[in-house]
Amino acid sequence: MQFNMTPGVTDISQQVYNLHMTIFWICCAIGLVVFTAMFVSIILHRKSRGVTPATFHESTKVEIIWTAIPVLILILMAIPATRVLIAMEDTSDSDVTVLVTGSQWRWHYEYLDYDIDFFSILATPRGQIEGRLPKGQNYLLEVDRPLVIPTGKKVRFLMTSDDVIHSWWVPAFAIKKDTNPGFINEAWTRVNEPGIYRGQCAELCGMDHGFMPIVVIAKEPDDFAIWVEQEEARIAAIREEEQRLLALRMNLDEQMELGERVYLAHCAACHQPNGTGLPPMFPALKDNHVTTQDRAEHIRVMVDGRPGTSMASFARQLSLRELTSVITYTRNAWGNDTGDVVQAVEVYEYMQSKGE
Amino acid sequence: MNNEGYQKYYVPDQSPWPLVGAIALFFIALGAGFYVIDMSKDQSGWGGYMLLLGIAILFVMLYGWFKNVVDESMSGLYSAQMDRSFKQGMSWFIVSEIMFFAALIGALLYARFIAVPWLGGASNNEMTGAILWPNFEAVWPLLTTPGGTETQAMGWGLPLINTMILITSSITLHFAHTAIEQNKRGQLTGMLLVTLILGVIFLGLQGYEYILAYRDLGLRLDSGIYGNTFFILTGFHGMHVLLGALILFFVLLRVLKGHFTAEKHFAFQAGAWYWHFVDVVWVIVFCLVYVF
Amino acid sequence: MSTVTTADHHDAHHDHKPTGIKRWLFTTNHKDIGSLYLLFALAMFFLGGAMAMVIRLELFQPGMQFVEPQFFNQMTTMHGLIMVFGAVMPAFTGLANWMIPMMIGAPDMALPRMNNWSFWILPFAFLILIISMFLPGGGPDFGWTFYAPLSTTYSNDSTALFVFAIHIMGISSIMGAINVIVTIVNMRAPGMTWMKLPLFVWTWLITAFLLIMVMPVLAGLVTMVLTDKYFATSFFDAAGGGDPVLFQHIFWFFGHPEVYIMILPAFGIISAIVPTFARKKLFGYASMVYATASIAILSFLVWAHHMFTTGMPVYATLFFMYTTMLIAVPTGVKVFNWVATMWRGAMTFEVPMMFALAFIVLFTIGGLSGVMLAIAPVDFQYHDTYFVVAHFHYVLVSGAVFSLVAAAYYWLPKWTGHMYDEKLGQLHFWCSVISVNLLFFPMHFVGLAGMPRRIPDYALQFADFNAFISVGGFLFGLSQLIFVWVLVKCIRGGEKAPAKPWEGAEGLEWEVPSPAPYHTFDTPPQVK
Ligand code: HEA
Ligand code: HEA
Ligand code: CUA
Ligand SMILES: [Cu+2]
């Protein structure tokens, strides 16, 4: 059982921890003095001991003293606090910059210095949450794609959001910064030790606020460089694959299989695994006009989202292949049975038509 | 004040009106809530009717309640101390109204001096401007929002006339006040009437300005923070002018019925305070919304 | 209603009580209205507490067992709203109604009819709030702080009802506050000078001032939420030039004074009880008054300490950090004065005193964790974790609620004419004080260990603490049933209470018989 704050793995987080402990002990000391006085009085000055009450009821001198001493204590606290705060502010001279975007209920990371960007989503299976499977060690604190950063380098985070306010919090770095839609906040860290660090969204952001973890892997700079290469290659490969896909036709079974996986990872939180949704906030997809008939609208909603609702645009969040499959899946699952097999070109064409 | 204190402090007996008033507010709030929900979905429901019912009950309540108060006042039940209670109550009510406007004005100042500059990259929001809104220019009035909605600014010619009208009305009301204190009933009636007419003209011009805004300037509720602060401040102010005018109207009716004396005219005074308050708010709104 | 009979009635001056349901519906009597407020607050405390029990039940174990995440959020939201606006604030208003006229020697509140209106609005406001939970999309689920845009663009339809419910709650609070101020300023008995006012009256005067200053701001804010959601404005939307953080500034400009609204009258109660049972005059009366006023003034300058992580510029963060820390000074003066009052007194430990003593210790603990939260760089780690939840339950439950319970025990003899059952009361005290610590103390630890607030499910390392906390919660809830038992027993009968049941008590309220006659001080007492 952990009782106290983590000292963390950065110089700043250690300073924060020390400040926390300093303030904590000062508060304990104050409490001790006050409570001792009180309990001494409770024990000694009770009627049952036959005391007669004193009659004093003011003393300018003591009152000035006990106004002045707290002021001094507070000044004593304020000095280190100010110092640490100012040290945390300076985001200049960073080596790596990551744009962190929160959205309901996933994180998006974009490396401004590399050709890398991806989403990061809770990886704990629903079965564990619902108690059908035994809970794993990192229950609720695991994601499909962690953020990777180099150790010993100054990493600058730019924080924003696509919808509501979230807050990106990794205790080991002592970073908690709100992601305000339409604005960019900044924070930075320099991690001393390689390792896996876990955190969570810290601002109530709707239904699945509790299911929006953060995992950061800090790697030695060399390993980080390798990772960057691999990741760039992986993302490039997906893009290529997408191009190839446009020519290709996928059959229903293929699509249903991938589509189901995508659906459960991205859609089921709101629209429910069985497609019944949680109306009226999250409409049912089963027997829905859009998913059973209006195919063009279906593609449009998936690509553009529904502005002003929780339905986000999935154009960036999913690969073309995933988008196509999940549309096909929804059109055929849970008795929707349209028999429609949507092809990548179709979705791609709509995306292009918007670009013009 | 005096040592006999509240010896004659009048504590009214039971009254049904507070409960009726609470029921009225219940229907108003619930009705307004459902009305807004229905409206947002383009569907029709019974919210609007409930709202109207609530307002109707509220009027019945106000009539009944004030009738009691007026009768009590006319039959001499209210001591000087009682009058002081009313006056102090009214002053604190006005303080609360000031704070309501303070919140709205605070929103305007924040938008203008903090939010909009930050969206343009000021202070610690360099990246906000650079990455999210690269084409956005932070100026006030904000005629093009970061999202790209465009509108035009409202000039201050018409509002200046309106300002004159309201200030004049404050002066005429002051004359009415001196008249009541000197028991000049004719001047009192006349000046009250002039004040009321000026108030109505103000409202008319305000309505005309809204038409201009919507029709010619494309300045609407949805045209971004400039339009939002414009409408919410002038709109709530306008509603207060309307309320003030209503109060003065009923005061006028009572004057015509021969109520009030040179010493005792709390209702008149409350109405006058309210009117002056509404004027002062207008001058501030005029400066912040239109001129600067 | 009829004015003529009323006039006679008052000249006649007899202790005539109207009967039946109309007595309560149409009343203008400050004691009746006070009782109504207190009973309403108790009911709401149980409703809000029941919701807390749902929260604790779901958090008993990791995993989702009993409710859906969205319903959980509704429970959190409604729990906060009901406890703050439905339980604590009305309870203090009830005490103000009962006690202030008696303490200053007034025949009633200054504006008795408006007084009744202020009360009857409240049940309807909460009815609307509760109706909103049955809308198709569910009730408010955006936290009691209803941050935009979660409460605007991304909320369900309940927002509309929520907004109007808040509006009418605000009207109720403002009218109540106006009544309190006018009563205190205008209706003191001859000789009751400012510096002779009981501290409960002083603290309420300042509280009422705070209410009048901040409730309208809340009204303005919910109005903007309404227009943002339904009328296409963009006060809190960057695309239209607004800012979601603007919402927070306005909310906390209201919200921080609001938390002092819930604690200043508590200070007044403790300042009444401690001298009584220490049989010694309150130490530092004048500095108590000045400290209360300082707290009130400072409370307007600290609001952004709830917003350290929103990315304010560093100079703003520093400003709010310093002002927040300063509040510890006047609050400290109060704590020290209470201790000095006990010092060399002759104390006895009846139930009101026990709760008052527990208040002083536990409120101080909560205040000290508040000072820790005020330190901005560490608040980055504490913010939105259970450490904050621990802080505010210490000041609210073992602070505000304990003071209310203490007040109830203290004045029950005056209200009912009967002594409460001392044994049961002591049992209630010990059960409460132990379980409240089992409930809220470990929250400090889970918070520091990293558990965010407002989550329906959590990582495994928090499991043991949460089970413990939940058990503490159930025990605390059950302990409150003892309180109800005490209340019922005391209202229905018991040992007759003398006019002044407490040896060391001072004040006008103890000079009228127990139970207090329906009309007190029809002619003003002369205060020397
Ligand atoms: C009755 C209610 C109440 C009271 C009295 C207080 C009192 C204080 N509160 Fe608290 N607070 C809340 C209710 C209250 N609070 C609530 C409800 C929230 C959460 C809202 C939400 O987000 O939902 C909150 C949140 C909150 C935060 C935001 C935390 C966060 O979200 O990150 C902060 C930060 O500064 C804070 C600080 C303080 C301080 C400094 C005091 C001070 O007034 C305390 C002063 C008292 C003492 C210090 C003890 C006695 C003094 C001495 C013995 C003298 C010597 C002491 C020193 C020299 C240190 N509070
Ligand atoms: C004065 C205000 C007040 C009071 C008195 C309380 C009282 C309690 N609170 Fe409250 N709480 C808040 C104000 C208050 N709270 C606020 C403002 C929030 C923030 C909301 C937000 O995040 O938006 C909050 C949030 C909050 C949370 C965090 C929720 C979250 O972040 O997800 C929790 C969790 O444990 C909690 C628990 C409790 C408990 C167990 C009590 C107990 O003290 C309640 C005890 C009372 C009873 C239990 C009722 C009486 C007894 C019965 C009905 C008999 C039946 C009993 C049993 C079956 C056991 N509260
Ligand atoms: Cu995202 Cu909470
Ligand atoms: Cu605060």
Side-chain angles (χ1 to χ4, degrees):
Chain A
M1 264 199 284
Q2 186 190 341
F3 280 77
N4 201 354
M5 184 189 286
T6 168
V9 291
T10 70
D11 293 350
I12 288 284
S13 73
Q14 243 118 34
Q15 286 181 35
V16 166
Y17 175 79
N18 291 335
L19 183 61
H20 156 70
M21 290 315 287
T22 314
I23 307 282
F24 171 69
W25 288 121
I26 295 178
C27 286
C28 286
I30 296 171
L32 195 72
V33 172
V34 176
F35 301 150
T36 312
M38 200 172 142
F39 281 102
V40 166
S41 168
I42 289 176
I43 290 163
L44 297 180
H45 310 141
R46 43 172 69 217
K47 194 184 177 196
S48 54
R49 289 168 52 106
V51 293
T52 42
T55 52
F56 65 87
H57 59 84
E58 60 196 352
S59 155
T60 316
K61 204 165 64 194
V62 286
E63 287 176 60
I64 289 177
I65 291 175
W66 69 41
T67 313
I69 291 180
V71 173
L72 291 180
I73 298 177
L74 290 172
I75 294 176
L76 227 67
M77 291 175 166
I79 293 168
T82 309
R83 206 177 300 129
V84 176
L85 185 70
I86 287 173
M88 293 169 107
E89 267 312 293
D90 175 25
T91 54
S92 58
D93 298 325
S94 60
D95 303 302
V96 179
T97 305
V98 185
L99 176 63
V100 179
T101 311
S103 60
Q104 284 178 327
W105 290 275
R106 46 178 74 82
W107 295 100
H108 180 257
Y109 300 113
E110 182 177 346
Y111 292 72
L112 297 190
D113 316 274
Y114 311 104
D115 208 2
I116 299 180
D117 79 285
F118 53 84
F119 279 89
S120 178
I121 305 170
L122 175 75
T124 304
R126 286 207 88 76
Q128 288 192 15
I129 297 171
E130 282 156 10
R132 284 181 279 109
L133 299 172
K135 296 185 179 19
Q137 198 205 341
N138 291 314
Y139 177 69
L140 293 189
L141 296 179
E142 48 203 347
V143 298
D144 59 348
R145 264 177 224 293
L147 176 70
V148 179
I149 58 172
T151 54
K153 294 265 160 64
K154 186 161 181 175
V155 182
R156 177 192 193 195
F157 298 105
L158 306 179
M159 317 261 191
T160 186
S161 161
D162 276 344
D163 38 48
V164 301
I165 303 174
H166 306 261
S167 193
W168 198 82
W169 179 31
V170 178
F173 306 163
I175 293 182
K176 183 185 286 143
K177 227 6 155 210
D178 291 1
T179 67
N180 299 323
F183 289 82
I184 288 187
N185 276 330
E186 302 190 27
W188 66 274
T189 191
R190 192 191 295 272
V191 181
N192 296 332
E193 289 152 42
I196 302 177
Y197 305 108
R198 294 171 200 276
Q200 291 184 72
C201 176
E203 179 64 60
L204 178 62
C205 51
M207 190 173 69
D208 278 352
H209 160 61
F211 305 93
M212 209 176 147
I214 295 156
V215 179
V216 184
I217 300 183
K219 290 185 193 253
E220 300 279 2
D222 294 344
D223 297 338
F224 178 72
I226 298 173
W227 176 83
V228 167
E229 237 166 70
Q230 286 171 348
E231 194 64 14
E232 280 183 328
R234 182 183 71 84
I235 290 172
I238 292 176
R239 296 216 179 105
E240 236 167 72
E241 152 100 1
E242 255 165 33
Q243 288 305 315
R244 208 163 45 77
L245 210 78
L246 295 179
L248 207 85
R249 317 227 106 218
M250 279 194 293
N251 69 23
L252 184 62
D253 290 344
E254 262 177 320
Q255 293 212 23
M256 285 302 275
E257 196 202 314
L258 175 60
E260 176 164 17
R261 256 188 290 138
V262 176
Y263 182 85
L264 291 178
H266 294 265
C267 319
C270 301
H271 296 291
Q272 302 302 298
N274 56 3
T276 50
L278 294 169
M281 282 295 278
F282 307 113
L285 301 182
K286 185 175 152 111
D287 300 330
N288 182 311
H289 176 77
V290 174
T291 52
T292 53
Q293 290 171 37
D294 197 342
R295 184 160 163 167
E297 172 69 9
H298 194 171
I299 295 176
R300 225 174 296 140
V301 172
M302 286 300 294
V303 173
D304 300 342
R306 278 252 169 91
T309 69
S310 295
M311 181 65 195
S313 155
F314 282 86
R316 286 195 317 150
Q317 304 201 11
L318 299 179
S319 73
L320 192 53
R321 197 179 139 142
E322 287 170 329
L323 257 179
T324 313
S325 308
V326 81
I327 295 174
T328 304
Y329 174 74
T330 2
R331 296 187 82 72
N332 292 288
W334 331 293
N336 278 353
D337 295 336
T338 54
D340 288 356
V341 185
V342 181
Q343 293 299 346
V345 241
E346 212 175 318
V347 180
Y348 186 75
E349 266 165 14
Y350 173 67
M351 285 174 159
Q352 291 307 100
S353 75
K354 273 204 321 162
E356 255 111 67
Chain B
M1 207 166 69
N2 51 357
N3 255 359
E4 109 229 75
Y6 54 69
Q7 225 122 25
K8 296 191 199 69
Y9 205 90
Y10 168 70
V11 179
D13 210 349
Q14 296 204 323
S15 165
W17 301 120
L19 185 69
V20 174
I23 293 171
L25 286 186
F26 173 68
F27 283 129
I28 289 177
L30 197 63
F34 280 115
Y35 180 64
V36 167
I37 293 172
D38 289 338
M39 210 181 55
S40 72
K41 301 203 164 120
D42 277 329
Q43 66 195 23
S44 57
W46 33 268
Y49 301 109
M50 200 190 251
L51 176 61
L52 290 178
L53 175 68
I55 293 174
I57 300 178
L58 188 72
F59 274 104
V60 171
M61 174 281 247
L62 287 175
Y63 179 78
W65 191 324
F66 283 128
K67 188 169 175 341
N68 279 178
V69 173
V70 171
D71 290 348
E72 285 159 11
S73 168
M74 297 308 286
S75 54
L77 283 168
Y78 291 174
S79 60
Q81 191 186 18
M82 191 84 191
D83 257 17
R84 276 203 303 281
S85 287
F86 284 143
K87 282 182 195 162
Q88 291 178 4
M90 186 67 195
S91 328
W92 286 107
F93 169 65
I94 290 178
V95 172
S96 79
E97 291 270 44
I98 291 174
M99 288 312 291
F100 180 77
F101 278 100
L104 303 182
I105 289 172
L108 166 66
L109 295 178
Y110 185 93
R112 175 168 178 179
F113 293 110
I114 297 181
V116 167
W118 285 9
L119 286 164
S123 186
N124 58 350
N125 275 267
E126 201 187 327
M127 286 301 160
T128 303
I131 296 185
L132 296 179
W133 314 105
N135 303 320
F136 172 65
E137 204 193 330
V139 289
W140 192 268
L142 183 70
L143 300 184
T144 308
T145 65
T149 315
E150 291 186 13
T151 180
Q152 290 175 46
M154 178 58 79
W156 50 280
L158 192 61
L160 184 65
I161 298 174
N162 249 346
T163 311
M164 299 307 193
I165 292 176
L166 264 200
I167 291 177
T168 316
S169 78
S170 248
I171 297 171
T172 54
L173 188 61
H174 179 73
F175 285 139
H177 198 171
T178 41
I180 204 172
E181 279 173 344
Q182 294 161 8
N183 227 341
K184 297 186 191 151
R185 306 294 293 194
Q187 187 186 336
L188 169 60
T189 320
M191 282 299 162
L192 250 180
L193 198 64
V194 175
T195 310
L196 250 176
I197 292 172
L198 288 173
V200 172
I201 297 178
F202 174 91
L203 284 176
L205 287 179
Q206 188 79 37
Y208 175 64
E209 190 189 58
Y210 278 16
I211 296 175
L212 281 186
Y214 261 74
R215 199 190 52 201
D216 300 346
L217 301 178
L219 182 61
R220 295 189 309 264
L221 261 182
D222 59 3
S223 20
I225 195 77
Y226 170 67
N228 299 160
T229 48
F230 168 79
F231 279 111
I232 202 153
L233 274 163
T234 57
F236 272 105
H237 177 267
M239 272 146 80
H240 282 74
V241 175
L242 186 65
L243 183 63
L246 277 177
I247 299 177
L248 289 186
F249 177 67
F250 285 108
V251 167
L252 182 64
L253 289 185
R254 284 186 65 189
V255 168
L256 292 175
K257 274 178 84 179
H259 290 189
F260 303 128
T261 64
E263 294 80 36
K264 294 195 63 181
H265 45 260
F266 166 71
F268 175 88
Q269 199 160 36
W273 280 348
Y274 197 74
W275 194 258
H276 292 315
F277 147 73
V278 168
D279 284 1
V280 173
V281 169
W282 174 257
V283 174
I284 297 171
V285 167
F286 175 66
C287 292
L288 292 178
V289 171
Y290 296 95
V291 183
F292 297 110
Chain C
M1 255 184 298
S2 152
T3 50
V4 188
T5 50
T6 339
D8 294 341
H9 174 95
H10 270 265
D11 293 337
H13 181 253
H14 52 93
D15 199 40
H16 148 84
K17 254 186 232 172
T19 46
I21 181 80
K22 269 166 72 181
R23 165 175 174 194
W24 301 104
L25 294 179
F26 297 166
T27 182
T28 50
N29 179 286
H30 72 103
K31 300 187 184 76
D32 281 353
I33 296 175
S35 305
L36 285 170
Y37 265 114
L38 288 170
L39 289 174
F40 174 73
L42 188 67
M44 286 291 129
F45 176 69
F46 273 75
L47 183 60
M51 290 173 173
M53 294 299 107
V54 175
I55 296 174
R56 284 323 321 170
L57 195 64
E58 180 56 56
L59 291 178
F60 184 67
Q61 272 180 13
M64 298 304 301
Q65 283 97 18
F66 300 98
V67 297
E68 294 294 319
Q70 212 206 349
F71 187 74
F72 181 90
N73 289 347
Q74 286 178 41
M75 285 293 108
T76 308
T77 307
M78 295 295 274
H79 163 71
L81 288 171
I82 289 181
M83 285 300 198
V84 169
F85 293 103
V88 174
M89 288 171 67
F92 280 128
T93 315
L95 290 180
N97 263 296
W98 250 103
M99 303 317 299
I100 288 178
M102 288 211 284
M103 285 177 157
I104 64 174
D108 205 297
M109 296 293 277
L111 305 160
R113 268 180 295 230
M114 192 173 87
N115 201 14
N116 194 29
W117 198 19
S118 317
F119 170 75
W120 276 107
I121 288 181
L122 268 186
F124 288 113
F126 281 89
L127 187 60
I128 294 176
L129 209 54
I130 288 162
I131 289 176
S132 81
M133 293 190 65
F134 295 94
L135 289 184
D141 55 3
F142 28 63
W144 84 285
T145 51
F146 62 107
Y147 280 9
L150 187 61
S151 62
T152 58
T153 316
Y154 297 89
S155 70
N156 50 35
D157 278 330
S158 64
T159 303
L161 293 189
F162 164 82
V163 164
F164 288 109
I166 295 284
H167 268 137
I168 61 178
M169 274 176 221
I171 294 176
S172 160
S173 296
I174 291 172
M175 291 197 301
I178 290 178
N179 227 330
V180 167
I181 295 196
V182 176
T183 307
I184 298 173
V185 173
N186 194 29
M187 306 211 19
R188 279 166 295 133
M192 179 58 87
T193 56
W194 286 109
M195 288 319 242
K196 278 189 200 151
L197 281 185
L199 262 172
F200 179 70
V201 179
W202 257 117
T203 51
W204 239 113
L205 180 70
I206 292 168
T207 303
F209 172 74
L210 288 180
L211 277 167
I212 290 177
M213 294 296 282
V214 300
M215 291 311 290
V217 173
L218 179 66
L221 181 66
V222 289
T223 307
M224 287 184 247
V225 164
L226 186 80
T227 59
D228 257 24
K229 182 163 173 69
Y230 294 104
F231 299 95
T233 60
S234 36
F235 288 103
F236 312 126
D237 179 4
D243 182 351
V245 177
L246 167 60
F247 173 96
Q248 298 179 31
H249 280 292
I250 306 179
F251 180 83
W252 290 114
F253 183 84
F254 147 80
H256 189 82
E258 166 70 23
V259 306
Y260 290 120
I261 287 167
M262 292 187 283
I263 206 70
L264 293 184
F267 292 163
I269 293 166
I270 303 305
S271 305
I273 293 178
V274 170
T276 297
F277 295 95
R279 292 170 181 71
K280 183 161 156 279
K281 228 175 133 182
L282 182 68
F283 188 89
Y285 173 89
S287 63
M288 284 298 214
V289 174
Y290 301 136
T292 313
S294 322
I295 294 175
I297 292 165
L298 278 174
S299 75
F300 290 111
L301 300 174
V302 302
W303 74 86
H305 65 216
H306 297 271
M307 301 165 55
F308 285 145
T309 62
T310 54
M312 286 183 292
V314 67
Y315 54 84
T317 309
L318 284 173
F319 172 80
F320 287 108
M321 174 168 94
Y322 298 148
T323 49
T324 305
M325 292 169 76
L326 266 186
I327 292 200
V329 177
T331 319
V333 167
K334 299 202 147 251
V335 173
F336 301 141
N337 280 344
W338 290 323
V339 177
T341 306
M342 287 183 244
W343 192 259
R344 298 199 28 225
M347 274 187 272
T348 50
F349 302 93
E350 287 86 344
V351 184
M353 184 62 162
M354 294 305 275
F355 273 102
L357 294 175
F359 171 97
I360 299 174
V361 174
L362 300 178
F363 170 79
T364 302
I365 293 177
L368 292 172
S369 65
V371 170
M372 296 176 73
L373 290 168
I375 310 292
V378 257
D379 180 65
F380 295 157
Q381 292 282 50
Y382 305 140
H383 177 66
D384 268 339
T385 66
Y386 265 76
F387 191 80
V388 178
V389 180
H391 156 67
F392 68 72
H393 282 97
Y394 262 87
V395 282
L396 281 170
V397 180
S398 52
V401 172
F402 270 28
S403 81
L404 285 163
V405 174
Y409 280 106
Y410 186 55
W411 284 311
L412 261 178
K414 182 58 59 187
W415 297 339
T416 62
H418 307 293
M419 296 306 285
Y420 60 83
D421 184 330
E422 181 72 27
K423 275 224 178 73
L424 267 182
Q426 293 285 354
L427 180 71
H428 173 219
F429 170 76
W430 285 108
C431 289
S432 296
V433 82
I434 292 170
S435 58
V436 86
N437 285 293
L438 296 180
L439 165 58
F440 295 123
F441 206 75
M443 285 188 182
H444 293 111
F445 301 135
V446 263
L448 290 175
M451 176 163 161
R453 56 192 282 212
R454 296 166 165 173
I455 55 174
D457 193 4
Y458 48 83
L460 298 182
Q461 68 261 36
F462 309 128
D464 297 337
F465 275 131
N466 269 292
F468 195 85
I469 292 169
S470 288
V471 172
F474 302 142
L475 290 178
F476 183 71
L478 291 175
S479 313
Q480 301 324 305
L481 296 178
I482 309 176
F483 183 49
V484 178
W485 186 10
V486 175
L487 288 180
V488 172
K489 246 184 108 168
C490 184
I491 291 169
R492 297 186 49 189
E495 188 194 327
K496 280 262 167 290
K500 190 174 118 179
W502 314 119
E503 185 190 5
E506 269 179 50
L508 288 178
E509 80 261 38
W510 305 113
E511 285 167 21
V512 298
S514 301
Y518 199 59
H519 295 290
T520 36
F521 301 126
D522 273 351
T523 47
Q526 192 72 34
V527 181
K528 279 171 280 333

